Structure formats: structure tokens, C-alpha cells
DNA sequence: CAAATGGATGATAGCGATAACATCATTTGA
DNA sequence: TCAAATGATGTTATCGCTATCATCCATTTG
């Protein structure tokens, strides 16, 4: 920086000003400094800058398995939003959402002096970890219950499940079976709650939900079981991957979708529209959740109050895996 | 740090030593310092540390669309490997792999003083950007051609395509059609080359490859076309998502898979085994690629020579979307 | 037993930037 | 016309840490 200053015939301070508050420098001086910067291809040292400003320009994201479509999309949304404000994003992927693993992940990020963290923790057991976040670190949570002492951005799982279930009932099905995600996932319990509430309100029989693990495999296994029961004409599956396995199981058992059984998924992964049959599902706008959570975090970092919780409505996408129940 | 030193009755320098080179401090002093650290819950300031050491402990990853299964898995592999060496990973997702976008992404990372970068750039047009990487920044490329001046880690696409194609021919098919990815993708051209080489070597007819865009949609469109041609009995589709669309198109046109047409995909996404029928495909170990690229990068950062290029063999996974050609 | 050796610890000087205040030149207004 | 206000730039101190060399003490050695 000293070199740049000398070359431009100014002091280091002026160089710093050109880089940070250009409007406070006379245009001609500014131009000279910028030329010098270019000629020497000078790059400010971020470590020195953060040392004195106390800000790093880096955000941390703690997320469960980032290879999954949901987390990956959320992360992408955060990153895109962050870029527009000149933040960089550092990710820590955890393989368990316990209090300890979250604490460790946050510590690693803090050690690198991130300016704030987004925690993608759609899991019951994470709540404990979230309640014990260091109070001096701006933090936002994605996809958790809203009784936390930090802002939360999430898709309204209950509403999504309500829409899926109502859709199936409106097609004339007597009741709706449900293959759920693991119950300690917030998303899974929200979907169960939504599904159950509709059946209750309508006075329908409420079958025991079948516990899946989000994988196509578990959807397949449960599908084999459901296929044997001729009473089953409508299934709400808690995500598209399990629904994929479900479709295969029904097919292999000789049951037509949607003629014999209607299936609704959740997520709207990109392939959902090209499964056979194209899958009716509930679309979650993960990218938007990412964007929102970044905004919430930015509010906290900059000391603005900001909304405490932000819910996004999911959208029912009707394709060809659902149809009116055949008479009889 | 001053406080910790005082509390432990030593100088700041000794505290620093305890944290960085514990073996150079007498065990009892060390214990006292560590106690003080704990009691004050002191956390060293990474900015100050990097300012003086010139290292940040952060790696950068530049990747094309991180919501895709491949990039997301690679990223995950890098991150896991990095964690074990106490590195953190910062990601920049670019929406185009041009020289400019790569340059900008690398600049943003450099601005944050990353210790090195991994560039996931399976795209022709990126090569130019890669040739102009700043020479003073340790860099490694994933999934590019191997004529670059930086180490490359990649899955051997040609071998994968060869295996898929040979598999189909061995089932008695006269020739194999191919739905490719965009030709300016390294992976796509590698798969085309492998497929073509087998057909040439065996003296089979070589149909014009059908250009897809990796999406299920494009697989579906091409599938509709191929379904009309009764000559088509075997298709090698360049990724699983397009293969998903292909399966639907064939089905809708009344052609049975695998009885009438055999289909092989590429990637082995987690759902592939639960499509209907379960998809035969070529598995790429993305996580391993991520790990390898991190190793290559670490070698460069630490000034070791290290292997220049690392190729990983993909694996053919035969499921139920391929079968012997029906006689006649 | 003095000198040499070596291990543990301390004092000092930056690393490269910015905050805060000081300075100087110019403009403004009565 | 001149004091006060304004705006551009410079000076100094400091952020929190580690490299380097100095110092001290306890051994070992001749």
C-alpha cells in the first residue's frame, strides 16, 4: 500500500480512502491512486483490514449434508444473495445435528472470525444447540421451529402438507396414507401435523404414518407394503425421493399410478416433472429461503432489528401422479 | 491474549507458543496457560494471526452450479477432507464458466486471502480462464482436460463411456444411440469419445449423438424422438437426469424398458436404483474426486511436488434398465 | 569450579490496514 | 476583508498476533 501511495504521490491513508470511501477523495487524486493500484496490481490485505475493522466480510453456514437437494439449494441461495453484498460464504457440513456438532461447527467458523452464521438445521435435536449459541455472534436459523431466540427463515411445512392432503381428498379419496420423514426432523413433523389436521377436520380415518428416512429406498420399502392393501388409493409422501421409490414399488406390484393409487411428493426436485408419471408435489422455494435468511442475518450484523421470523408458503404443483379415485 | 498471559503469570509470547508449538513449553506452564485460556474462554484472532503468518487456513472453491449433484458432492468431499486438516472452505458458485467469470471468482477469493483454490470447471470455455490463473496462488482443477499448467483431478469419462457402451453391445444390441451433454462440457465430450471409440472399434454403425443439456427435460424430448424409431434398442444417456426423462418418454410411447430398449445412464445419483426400472449407470465417485483434489492442493500449498494429475476410474453399475436384445 | 551448552521464557518489532484527530487550503458569508 | 466553515489530505496510534533475537537459569563438561 505504501508503494501505491508513493507512486500516486499521496499518503497511505488516501489510498485507503480511495478504496473504501471514494467519494471523500477529489476525483483527480482518486484517478491517480486507482492508476497506481492498477499498475502495481495491488490487492488490499483482508487480514490487516479485518484486524482493524473487526469485520471479515465472510459469513458462515452450518448445514446438514450439503449433497441433498434442499440444503444445497438453500446454500446456493445464501451464497448468491451474499455475493451481491460482497460477502463470501464459508460452509461447514455436519453429519449430525446434535448440540455438540453444531457447537463445534460454529466454533470453527468463529475461529475464522466470520461476521455471522446461518444454521441450516431442520432437526429437532439441533434446537438445543441453537439455544446455546454464543450471544455475541449474529446468527440466523433456517428451517427450525420458531420458538428460538434467533431469527428463523423457513418454508411453512404445515401449509404444504395441508395443501397436498386436501388435494388428494378433493379427488374423492376416502383418506390419505402418509410416508413421513424421520420424526425428529422439523420438516417431517410439520408435514405429519398438516396431513393429520386435514384428516381430522374432515373426520377421515387416520392411518398410522409410515416412518421413512428421506431416501428413495425407504419409499420403495413402504411402497411395497402399501401396494398390498387395496384400500390404499392415495399416498402423501414426505419428499420426492421417497416418492420416486414409492412409484417404483407400486408399479412393480401391478398398481397403476394414478389410476389405482395417487401419489403426492414434497420438494419438487428438478426431475419430478420427468418421472413416470410426472409427480404431483409441493414445491419449496429453497433459493428464496436462502435469500431471506441472508437478509435476516444482514439485519442482525448491521444492528437493524429486522423481522424475527419469515415463513414462505410452499406451492402445490399438480402433475399426473394424482387423479380422481375410480368409482368402486 | 494479554489477559490470559497475565492470569497464567507468563508473557503473551508464551501463550502464543502454547497455542502453536505446545511441545516447546514446559508441561506445567502449558497447563497453567491452558487453564487461563479456558477460564477466560479466550479465542485467538485469526485476522491478526494471518496478518503475521501470511496464511489464512481457508481454501476457496470455485464451482459451476452447486445445486447439481456432481458439484455438490465434490464440494462436500473437499470440505470433509479439508476439515481433517483444519482448513475451512469458502465457495463461490458461478453461473457461467467463462474466462471472465472464473477470473472474477478467483479474484474474490484471493481478496479474502485464501491459501489456495480448487476450481471445479468441467467446461471447455473455462480452460482459457484456467490458463491465466495467477501464478502465485496454489490452484487445482477438478474435471478439466489434463493439458493445463495446474494439477487436475478427474473421473475418467472416456473409460466410463467405454464400459457403458461395451455393456450394451455385449447384450447383443446392434449399435448404441447416445444422448450427450452439451459438447463444450469436458465430461460430455469425453463420454462421446468413449462411446464412439467402442462403436468404431467394433465396426458398428455410429448414429449421430443427440445433444442434450443435462436436464431431465432434454432427455425426455430426445426420448420421444428415439421412441419412434424401432431400430433403437440401446441408448447410452450421458447422465442420470436425462436418463430419467428418457425412461418416461419411452414408457409413454409404449416401449418397454428393458425389453424393447435398454438404457444406461451416468453418475449414479442416489435415486437411480429406485427409478422404474432401476437404472443401470456409471458411478462417479465425486466425493473421492473432492478428497483427491484437496490432497493435490495441500501438496501445492505446502510446497511439495505432488502428482500432477489424478484420474479416477468410474464403475459400471448394472441394474434392470438393460437386458439382452430380443431376437428378431 | 568456571565455562560452555541448551532449554525455557521474555522483550521488541513489525505484519498492513483504518480510526481518529490534526493540518492545511479553500470557500463562504457578514 | 477576514473569521469561520468546509473539504481534502496527512500523522499517529493501534488492532492481536508471531518472528526474531536476547536473556536467564540449570545443567553438563573439562
Amino acid at each position: 500500500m505504501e508503494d501505491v501511495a508513493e507512486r500516486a504521490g499521496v499518503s497511505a491513508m488516501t489510498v485507503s480512502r480511495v478504496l473504501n470511501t471514494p467519494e471523500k477523495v477529489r476525483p483527480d487524486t482518486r484517478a491517480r491512486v486507482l492508476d497506481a493500484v492498477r499498475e502495481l496490481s495491488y490487492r488490499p490485505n483482508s487480514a490487516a483490514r479485518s484486524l482493524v475493522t473487526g469485520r471479515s466480510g465472510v459469513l458462515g453456514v452450518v448445514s446438514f449434508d450439503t449433497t441433498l437437494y434442499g440444503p444445497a439449494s438453500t446454500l446456493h441461495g445464501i451464497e448468491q444473495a451474499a455475493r451481491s453484498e460482497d460477502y463470501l460464504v464459508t460452509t461447514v457440513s455436519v453429519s449430525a445435528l446434535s448440540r455438540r456438532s453444531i457447537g463445534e461447527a460454529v466454533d470453527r467458523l468463529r475461529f475464522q472470525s466470520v461476521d455471522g452464521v446461518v444454521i441450516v438445521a431442520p432437526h429437532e435435536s439441533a434446537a438445543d444447540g441453537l439455544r446455546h449459541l454464543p450471544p455475541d455472534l449474529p446468527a440466523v436459523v433456517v428451517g427450525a421451529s420458531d420458538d428460538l431466540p434467533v431469527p428463523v427463515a423457513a418454508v411453512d411445512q404445515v401449509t404444504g402438507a395441508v395443501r397436498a392432503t386436501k388435494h388428494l381428498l378433493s379427488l374423492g379419496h376416502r383418506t390419505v396414507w402418509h410416508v413421513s420423514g424421520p420424526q425428529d426432523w422439523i420438516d417431517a413433523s410439520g408435514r405429519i401435523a398438516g396431513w393429520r389436521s386435514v384428516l381430522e377436520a374432515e373426520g377421515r380415518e387416520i392411518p398410522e404414518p409410515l416412518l421413512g428416512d428421506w431416501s428413495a429406498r425407504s419409499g420403495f420399502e413402504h411402497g411395497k407394503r402399501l401396494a398390498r392393501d387395496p384400500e390404499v388409493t392415495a399416498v402423501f409422501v414426505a419428499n420426492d425421493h421417497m416418492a420416486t421409490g414409492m412409484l417404483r414399488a407400486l408399479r412393480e406390484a401391478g398398481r397403476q399410478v394414478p389410476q389405482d393409487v395417487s401419489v403426492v411428493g414434497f420438494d419438487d426436485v428438478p426431475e419430478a416433472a420427468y418421472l413416470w408419471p410426472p409427480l404431483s408435489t409441493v414445491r419449496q422455494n429453497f433459493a428464496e429461503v436462502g435469500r431471506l435468511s441472508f437478509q435476516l442475518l444482514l439485519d442482525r450484523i448491521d444492528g437493524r432489528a429486522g423481522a424475527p421470523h419469515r415463513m414462505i408458503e410452499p406451492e402445490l404443483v399438480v402433475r399426473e401422479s394424482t387423479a380422481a379415485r375410480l368409482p368402486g
Side-chain angles (χ1 to χ4, degrees), chain A:
Chain A
M1 182 155 127
E2 211 55 51
D3 302 348
V4 173
E6 194 173 341
R7 183 168 193 119
V10 297
S11 74
M13 195 58 234
T14 300
V15 176
S16 170
R17 270 192 276 260
V18 169
L19 265 32
N20 296 298
T21 51
E23 71 281 2
K24 294 198 173 173
V25 176
R26 269 212 336 257
D28 56 325
T29 326
R30 192 192 312 158
R32 245 179 324 144
V33 171
L34 288 176
D35 283 347
V37 166
R38 217 164 299 127
E39 283 161 27
L40 300 175
S41 62
Y42 158 79
R43 328 180 54 62
N45 178 314
S46 64
R49 174 177 290 175
S50 352
L51 182 56
V52 60
T53 60
R55 284 185 164 222
S56 63
V58 178
L59 302 180
V61 176
V62 176
S63 171
F64 183 77
D65 191 351
T66 48
T67 65
L68 298 176
Y69 176 71
S73 304
T74 306
L75 182 56
H76 192 256
I78 295 172
E79 200 252 305
Q80 297 297 311
R83 170 181 322 195
S84 68
E85 300 283 337
D86 274 323
Y87 276 95
L88 239 36
V89 173
T90 291
T91 314
V92 175
S93 186
V94 297
S95 49
L97 284 170
S98 64
R99 169 167 175 186
R100 215 180 107 245
S101 65
I102 290 194
E104 281 175 4
V106 170
D107 275 352
R108 296 187 57 221
L109 289 168
R110 237 155 56 113
F111 180 72
Q112 280 297 335
S113 331
V114 295
D115 293 338
V117 295
V118 177
I119 301 175
V120 183
H123 198 271
E124 205 55 71
S125 71
D128 193 34
L130 298 177
R131 254 178 274 281
H132 293 274
L133 285 175
D136 57 326
L137 178 69
V140 165
V141 173
V142 168
S145 52
D146 53 9
D147 60 343
L148 290 169
V150 282
V152 173
V155 171
D156 184 344
Q157 304 296 332
V158 176
T159 300
V162 164
R163 291 188 179 162
T165 311
K166 281 192 175 163
H167 167 59
L168 288 167
L169 290 183
S170 77
L171 289 169
H173 297 279
R174 241 195 297 268
T175 190
V176 176
W177 273 255
H178 180 46
V179 177
S180 78
Q183 286 194 291
D184 43 5
W185 284 65
I186 306 283
D187 298 359
S189 59
R191 290 170 206 172
I192 291 174
W195 160 78
R196 191 190 302 271
S197 74
V198 171
L199 295 186
E200 268 170 7
E202 304 262 335
R204 307 304 176 96
E205 182 200 341
I206 303 183
E208 195 59 27
L210 304 170
L211 237 72
D213 64 4
W214 300 129
S215 75
R217 198 184 149 285
S218 75
F220 177 66
E221 300 297 340
H222 285 306
K224 285 200 286 197
R225 217 155 305 143
L226 290 180
R228 280 189 227 113
D229 181 352
E231 286 293 304
V232 176
T233 67
V235 186
F236 167 44
V237 186
N239 79 350
D240 288 354
H241 288 164
M242 294 197 292
T244 303
M246 169 71 56
L247 292 180
R248 173 182 159 202
L250 293 173
R251 228 358 112 21
E252 287 190 356
R255 307 204 65 187
Q256 305 279 326
V257 178
Q259 292 85 342
D260 300 332
V261 183
S262 286
V263 175
V264 175
F266 212 108
D267 281 353
D268 197 25
V269 299
E271 313 84 71
Y274 295 92
L275 294 174
W276 194 66
L279 185 67
S280 295
T281 188
V282 179
R283 176 179 302 157
Q284 306 201 65
N285 193 336
F286 293 110
E288 182 63 21
V289 172
R291 235 169 285 138
L292 263 182
S293 61
F294 171 74
Q295 283 305 336
L296 289 175
L297 184 57
L298 204 57
D299 285 345
R300 291 225 105 186
I301 290 177
D302 292 344
R304 286 187 294 272
H309 301 304
R310 295 296 218 104
M311 276 297 191
I312 295 182
E313 295 254 311
E315 176 192 355
L316 178 69
V317 181
V318 177
R319 297 207 179 93
E320 299 166 31
S321 65
T322 48
R325 174 164 167 265
L326 288 181

